[in-house]
Amino acid sequence: MNRTPRRSVVVACLVTVATGAAAASASAAEPPCRTLARFNPLNFPATPAVTSARLPLLPGAQRILEGRSNVGGHTLPHRVTFTVTDLTKVIAGVRTVVVHDVDYNNGVLAEQELAFFAQDVQGNVWNLGEYPEEYANGQLSGAPSTWMAGLDGAVPGIHMPARLPEVDEPPYLQGWVPKIDFLDCAATFQLGTTSCVPIGCFKGVVVTDETSPLDPGGGSQRKSYAPGVGIVDVGFVDDPQGERLVLVDYSQLSEDALAPIRAATLDMDRRGYTVNPTYRRSVPIESPAQTPTQAPLAPAPPAVEEPSRSSTPASAVGRVSLALRPGTGRVSRSGRVAVRVLCSTAVNRVTVRPGTCRGEVDLFLRRSGARVGTARFSVPGGERRTVRVQLASAALRLVREGRRVRVAARTRGALAGARRVVATTSLTLTATGSR
């Protein structure tokens, strides 16, 4: 549950362990509860897949929770529906799964939200941002609680840890956004219990206890997670609204049933650029056709003669390879780093030339995962081009001081006629006297 400010109960259930890397850029202050993992965009796959047993977020999954809450002295029905879309959004260098959440109080729309999640290679499920639209009498009043990891000091968090803390372990950080006074901490309350809700009884349930140090009078939430399902029960302790939500339906939507939710999500994404200045600085949500698939990160084999065909088959596995030119790692006086991009496509182990590879090269610090440079590229099929990436001032200062700065370069882009791919490489930056 989010308390400061209050957001949708279910999506707030999906707020989790924060990272020290993003916190370093967010603020010098330390949060009052511990972090469980360090956030690093290089620890996430190119194609997002949230397969956690306790929080599966597979495209088309829909969960509906119902309950009653005390609002203004009246006990009113409350219904929350969240749906996992097949859309993605890149936040802080990580491609995330987009969840659409709708919140009704007494049959009237109170909030609808886009939430963004990604699972790292260790199995931690991270929450990297939220765009919650607030409604008054059914009319949009704004989205002041919007946050995106890496923007305005927002620290992402792990919704579901890969390794659950024991019951007696201290609380851990779920999320921290100083700009909007949001801070949540959680602790494991019960392990291996049974939870019975209207849709049935679930065994092996994990219960967490979540509180906000910034709102000591707001009580806490007890959230129950069932294996293979996710959240099945949300209880409230010492909360003024005295609410409880329970799972009443869960299903896997068909393509036809998911289509209108996908459309509503894309509408919200477009609207967000006019409603909230933080959201305006994020990249647009992308459809399944635009989402990259995981491709080999090794360089492509040497090019061979192109078969006679007018274009690259749609089934081709595209490769954008990164290479380091002679003297690579040298930072020019103007603060630029040269990285070479090779554009190729493999079809049945034979390399052919796609039309053009277009996208961006990002540089990330190996230690913290912070992004320190971005440059666009456009490379004809079968060719190499040198892309010069301008370093951020903080990283450039370290290089000029003679410090060894290790970075990772990663491409983001698409091959014409093939699927989107990602390639990575590493280098150590040093200063040079030439431009």
Side-chain angles (χ1 to χ4, degrees), residues 314-344:
S315 60
V317 177
R319 294 183 179 182
V320 175
S321 297
L322 284 172
L324 306 184
R325 69 179 179 86
T328 261
R330 297 284 184 179
V331 179
S332 70
R333 290 175 182 174
S334 59
R336 294 189 299 175
V337 180
V339 178
R340 289 190 116 182
V341 176
L342 165 67
C343 176
S344 67

Side-chain angles (χ1 to χ4, degrees), residues 44-265:
F44 293 81
T47 304
V50 181
T51 58
S52 166
R54 293 178 293 272
L55 188 65
L57 298 178
L58 306 180
Q62 185 174 83
R63 307 291 183 260
I64 301 176
L65 289 91
E66 291 183 349
R68 302 184 72 84
S69 61
N70 185 347
V71 180
H74 302 283
T75 301
L76 302 177
H78 188 191
R79 179 184 176 94
V80 178
T81 301
F82 76 94
T83 308
V84 183
T85 73
D86 55 358
L87 304 171
T88 65
K89 185 180 181 77
V90 175
I91 301 175
V94 175
R95 186 168 294 277
T96 67
V97 171
V98 182
V99 173
H100 180 261
D101 174 90
V102 184
D103 193 334
Y104 283 87
N105 282 328
N106 199 28
V108 178
L109 178 63
E111 181 176 294
Q112 62 174 334
E113 178 171 349
L114 303 181
F116 309 99
F117 302 94
Q119 182 172 303
D120 64 25
V121 294
Q122 282 78 36
N124 298 302
V125 181
W126 293 78
N127 176 24
L128 279 86
E130 296 171 348
Y131 170 65
E133 292 184 342
E134 299 176 7
Y135 289 77
N137 299 318
Q139 299 298 315
L140 175 63
S141 60
S145 301
T146 298
W147 67 274
M148 298 279 115
L151 297 180
D152 302 321
V155 178
I158 300 172
H159 172 67
M160 179 55 64
R163 185 198 72 82
L164 282 171
E166 297 296 329
V167 172
D168 57 352
E169 291 189 46
Y172 56 86
L173 187 65
Q174 292 185 298
W176 188 28
V177 190
K179 183 178 180 179
I180 59 174
D181 295 327
F182 169 65
L183 174 63
D184 266 6
C185 301
T188 303
F189 183 71
Q190 283 183 310
L191 293 170
T193 187
T194 298
S195 179
C196 291
V197 293
I199 201 141
C201 291
F202 298 90
K203 296 181 179 180
V205 171
V206 172
V207 183
T208 63
D209 187 87
E210 302 182 3
T211 59
S212 173
L214 298 181
D215 185 21
S220 65
Q221 280 189 345
R222 300 272 170 81
K223 302 189 182 92
S224 300
Y225 301 86
V229 179
I231 299 170
V232 297
D233 194 324
V234 183
F236 299 78
V237 180
D238 298 326
D239 183 80
Q241 294 189 6
E243 185 175 16
R244 184 189 178 199
L245 289 169
V246 292
L247 186 69
V248 298
D249 185 42
Y250 72 99
S251 59
Q252 188 69 30
L253 300 183
S254 66
E255 171 62 26
D256 289 343
L258 184 60
I261 299 174
R262 182 192 301 120
T265 298

